[in-house]
Amino acid sequence: MNYNFNKPIDRLSTDSVKYGLRKVLFGTEDIIPLWVADMDLPTAPEITAALVERMQHPIYGYTLQGDLFWESAINWIKKRHNWDIKKHEFTFTPGIVPAIGLLIQALSNQNERVAIFSPVYGPFKDNIIGTGRTLVDIPLINQNNFYNIDFDTLEKEMIKGLKLLVFCNPQNPSGRVWNKVELQKLLQLCEQYDVNIISDEIHADLVLFEATHTPLASLSEIGEKRVVTCMAPSKTFNLAGLNCAYLIFKNKELQKRYLAKVKHLHLDFGGIVATTSQIAAYNKGENWYQEVKKYFESNINYIIEELSDSPITVMKTNATYLLWLDCSKISRNNKILKDFFYKKAKVGVQDGEMFGAAGQGFMRMNIACARSILEESVKRIKIALD
């Protein structure tokens, strides 16, 4: 089946966060929004058809996530990542961000030290500070336009006493796909210093350019003991508004501690839309998924080529539809960069400092949109540069 990703779609009447917050975030609605991580592309028609069919039934009551729901995830993960999961190792969650906040509370105590590698997805930091934990920010090392983990600093922080690590695999905002050697070293240090890991792997399916994602917990018995894995069909199939995600616990004790935080809140089961959309996505969305990845690769290559002679450097990426733009040759001051992109170019990329101090001089661009939108964005950026 051919999918038309080149046709722009009007989202103005849909209460879209991406478009509805333009005035608030950028100071104007006259801007192309390329910020928040959802796609301006139509999801798989097989998912839409399944939702329409289910909504024709006139009763929308409480809904189980039964065998079909979990088997869809089991089969998808096995096919995609060669990882075997059992039904009882899953726990439903309406979203990974709230789940991370609850996991931090379940797996650490007030004022205990929780680490991140920055720049990284902003809600990691917000959840750590918001739950009364002590943030330990370990900057990644930028070597030749490519991030690496600073294991020496990590171990020094572990020696001081670290309780938990919130990890992004693949990395957001850079699209870095961690290799097995790096992940094994990370696990060994966490075992040596008694540190558990929350691994956000929501972008796991969106590995590109023949890269391979390795679920951190799948690597060894240490991984199974130490890691809670966060996954969802939402980024893969553009279902972010349907509140469907899940956690994978190979360690029963960690799962028990988490459920003690959420059972009484009824946050361990979902609704009709979440259930229907995941089953359809994982069971019928393969062709769409393969095509949309090719489209992302094409868009990424387009941006890299178009900006190759500019002062903006695109960081090497192997995953996600998000590009990490090094704009430090324009300015290292993000206020100046925001003025440049928002007021002069009228392109709403995301402020790099939202990903921590290590994001100074950077901006994040979402390329999951029709090519014509990217062409207009590049045109505006080049005119502003000139």
Side-chain angles (χ1 to χ4, degrees):
M1 180 181 291
N2 293 321
Y3 303 98
N4 185 4
F5 298 129
N6 282 320
K7 182 181 179 181
I9 297 175
D10 184 358
R11 299 180 64 184
L12 293 180
S13 61
T14 64
D15 293 323
S16 162
V17 167
K18 180 183 281 187
Y19 288 82
L21 293 182
R22 286 177 298 171
K23 180 72 173 179
V24 173
L25 295 176
F26 309 119
T28 177
E29 293 185 350
D30 179 23
I31 200 162
I32 300 174
L34 301 177
W35 63 290
V36 71
D38 70 8
M39 308 179 199
D40 281 337
L41 305 175
T43 192
E46 295 85 355
I47 299 173
T48 303
L51 288 169
V52 169
E53 180 181 357
R54 175 59 184 89
M55 291 305 136
Q56 288 175 345
H57 191 290
I59 298 177
Y60 308 139
Y62 295 117
T63 303
L64 293 170
Q65 285 69 63
D67 288 342
L68 285 177
F69 182 85
W70 294 120
E71 285 169 5
S72 72
I74 288 168
N75 295 335
W76 180 266
I77 294 168
K78 176 63 177 178
K79 181 178 181 179
R80 218 66 313 122
H81 310 298
N82 195 30
W83 189 23
D84 293 310
I85 313 295
K86 297 179 175 61
K87 179 181 174 181
H88 70 268
E89 295 170 337
F90 287 103
T91 297
F92 181 90
T93 177
I96 287 179
V97 171
I100 288 174
L102 291 162
L103 281 165
I104 290 170
Q105 294 177 67
L107 305 182
S108 66
N109 296 315
Q110 285 278 319
N111 300 317
E112 287 187 323
R113 303 170 80 244
V114 181
I116 57 173
F117 298 130
S118 66
V120 75
Y121 184 49
F124 286 11
K125 176 190 71 176
D126 297 340
N127 264 321
I128 292 167
I129 295 172
T131 54
R133 275 61 178 171
T134 301
L135 175 68
V136 178
D137 188 341
I138 303 171
L140 295 166
I141 301 171
N142 189 347
Q143 295 177 320
N144 299 319
N145 199 32
F146 198 67
Y147 281 133
N148 289 297
I149 296 171
D150 186 346
F151 285 107
D152 291 338
T153 299
L154 173 62
E155 185 165 15
K156 289 175 183 176
E157 294 294 348
M158 287 178 164
I159 290 170
K160 294 177 187 176
L162 203 63
K163 187 66 175 179
L164 193 61
L165 170 67
V166 186
F167 185 55
C168 202
N169 179 34
Q171 213 271 342
N172 174 11
S174 70
R176 174 71 156 85
V177 175
W178 307 109
N179 63 50
K180 290 184 180 181
V181 174
E182 295 167 309
L183 296 176
Q184 289 281 21
K185 187 171 183 178
L186 181 62
L187 287 174
Q188 289 164 3
L189 282 172
C190 286
E191 177 68 4
Q192 180 179 349
Y193 292 100
D194 191 23
V195 178
N196 290 323
I197 307 171
I198 301 168
S199 186
D200 177 1
E201 305 192 11
I202 194 170
H203 292 284
D205 299 332
L206 296 177
V207 287
L208 307 171
F209 304 109
E210 300 184 354
T212 300
H213 171 74
T214 302
L216 182 59
S218 72
L219 275 173
S220 65
E221 291 183 359
I222 296 173
E224 293 185 352
K225 173 185 176 183
R226 292 286 176 190
V227 179
V228 180
T229 305
C230 309
M231 286 183 163
S234 56
K235 289 292 183 280
T236 311
F237 290 96
N238 201 26
L239 308 176
L242 303 188
N243 297 108
C244 183
Y246 49 83
L247 310 177
I248 299 170
F249 296 86
K250 288 290 183 175
N251 184 329
K252 292 181 180 179
E253 178 57 30
L254 297 185
Q255 186 178 38
K256 181 180 178 181
R257 288 163 65 180
Y258 173 76
L259 288 174
K261 287 287 182 184
V262 304
K263 272 284 186 182
H264 66 286
L265 299 172
H266 291 197
L267 291 177
D268 58 328
F269 69 91
I272 297 167
V273 172
T275 306
T276 304
S277 63
Q278 176 172 299
I279 294 170
Y282 284 162
N283 290 347
K284 300 178 181 179
E286 179 73 24
N287 290 337
W288 181 93
Y289 163 73
Q290 295 296 343
E291 290 301 313
V292 84
K293 288 206 301 175
K294 292 177 185 176
Y295 198 75
F296 294 158
E297 290 173 351
S298 176
N299 278 354
I300 289 168
N301 287 333
Y302 169 77
I303 293 294
I304 291 172
E305 181 178 354
E306 289 294 317
L307 296 181
S308 61
D309 294 328
S310 80
I312 299 171
T313 302
V314 181
M315 181 166 275
K316 299 172 186 175
T317 182
N318 290 103
T320 82
Y321 47 77
L322 306 166
L323 292 183
W324 194 227
L325 308 180
D326 184 347
C327 306
S328 57
K329 290 180 182 178
I330 300 174
S331 177
R332 292 185 178 277
N333 183 314
N334 277 52
K335 183 181 185 303
I336 293 174
L337 290 178
K338 286 190 288 185
D339 285 345
F340 169 78
F341 280 101
Y342 305 166
K343 295 180 180 180
K344 294 181 180 179
K346 301 289 187 180
V347 176
V349 290
Q350 193 154 20
D351 179 11
E353 286 191 328
M354 293 185 69
F355 302 86
Q360 186 175 3
F362 286 82
M363 291 287 184
R364 191 186 77 171
M365 173 185 279
N366 180 343
I367 56 84
C369 58
R371 175 63 63 84
S372 60
I373 294 174
L374 289 185
E375 290 172 350
E376 176 61 24
S377 299
V378 167
K379 177 183 175 182
R380 293 184 182 191
I381 291 169
K382 287 184 173 181
I383 290 173
L385 286 170
D386 290 341

